[in-house]
Every structure is written in structure tokens, then in C-alpha cells.
Amino acid sequence: MNQTRVVVTGIGVVSPLGASLKSFWDGLCAGRSGIDKITHFDASDLPCQIAGEIPDFDPNEYMERTEIRRSPRSTHLAIAAAKMALQDADLGTEVPNPERSGVMLGTGIAGIENITKSYDIIKKAGYGRLNPFQLPTGLPNM
């Protein structure tokens, strides 16, 4: 049987336990939960007021300001984790043999805030006022 070998060279983690591999690992080893009361928005009217928010995450450390404005938070988190993985792998900014490299990304949904923003724009001003790039930013692979 011919088996393909895979080598993990770097890990990047942005999670409710922290915005770094070290804080994530320390939280796992300590048995901490990343679930807490919602603080990123007013959830007082919601039946569930807990979530796994990402504490102390600053996308400016990983992306240019214009790219941050043009992309949803889920993209900020994914780019940060990818850059952390590159740094952890000590590969620099250029990946050798990119056609033989891959990324594994785990997400349930992405860009929901952009999807709801699109709905509000269509409802208030009509579809003609909608930026054509608005809806694609709701996809996890953007």
C-alpha cells in the first residue's frame, strides 16, 4: 500500500482560549473554558448570553488597515492563524513549494455580520446600493 506522508511544520491558533498557540495550549492544559458572557455586543435581549469570543485579538498585528475594513472578522482570524503557523514553522513569508503546501481551517460559518449588513442595505436602499463584493465575504474561504 502506497501511503502519502504529511508533515505539520507550523501551527497557528486563534481561539476563545487565546489569540496565540501558547495561550491556547496553556488554557487546554489548565482545563479552562473559553466560554463566557458575551461582551462584543449587547446580548441582553438574547435567550443565550454566552459565547466563545476571542479575547485580546487585534487584526492590525496581521493585516493592513484597508484589508481589515474590506473583510469580515472570520477572515481576520484565519489570516492571523495562518501567519502564526508560518512563523511557528520558521518558513519566513515565502512558502517553499506552495503547490505542495496546504492549510487546514476549521469554522462553522464566516462573515455573518456582512451577510446581515447586506440584508439591511437591500431592505433600506435596494439591491442597487449593494457592493458586489459584500456577499462573497460571507464565505469561509474568502
Side-chain angles (χ1 to χ4, degrees):
M1 180 191 284
N2 187 6
Q3 293 182 337
T4 302
R5 293 181 181 213
V6 175
V7 177
V8 176
T9 56
I11 300 173
V13 178
V14 181
S15 85
L17 289 177
S20 72
L21 177 57
K22 181 178 179 356
S23 60
F24 171 74
W25 185 251
D26 289 347
L28 282 180
C29 291
R32 280 196 304 269
S33 171
I35 306 303
D36 205 348
K37 194 157 178 68
I38 296 172
T39 61
H40 284 208
F41 61 91
D42 179 14
S44 59
D45 289 343
L46 298 176
C48 178
Q49 297 178 5
I50 60 171
E53 296 179 327
I54 313 294
D56 305 325
F57 176 74
D58 182 8
N60 291 291
E61 294 180 31
Y62 306 97
M63 301 172 66
E64 296 295 323
R65 183 179 226 122
T66 55
E67 287 302 311
I68 292 169
R69 278 196 329 266
R70 293 179 185 159
S71 57
R73 183 169 166 83
S74 55
T75 298
H76 307 165
L77 301 173
I79 288 175
K83 288 187 175 187
M84 287 179 207
L86 282 172
Q87 184 178 12
D88 185 51
D90 200 23
L91 292 175
T93 57
E94 294 295 320
V95 177
N97 300 320
E99 65 280 352
R100 294 182 51 99
S101 300
V103 173
M104 188 171 95
L105 171 69
T107 185
I109 191 167
I112 194 73
E113 68 275 17
N114 282 16
I115 294 170
T116 58
K117 184 178 176 183
S118 298
Y119 173 76
D120 289 342
I121 291 170
I122 291 170
K123 189 174 170 185
K124 290 177 185 170
Y127 72 90
R129 300 296 299 164
L130 188 65
N131 180 329
F133 298 107
Q134 193 80 30
L135 290 174
T137 61
L139 304 174
N141 62 346
M142 295 314 281

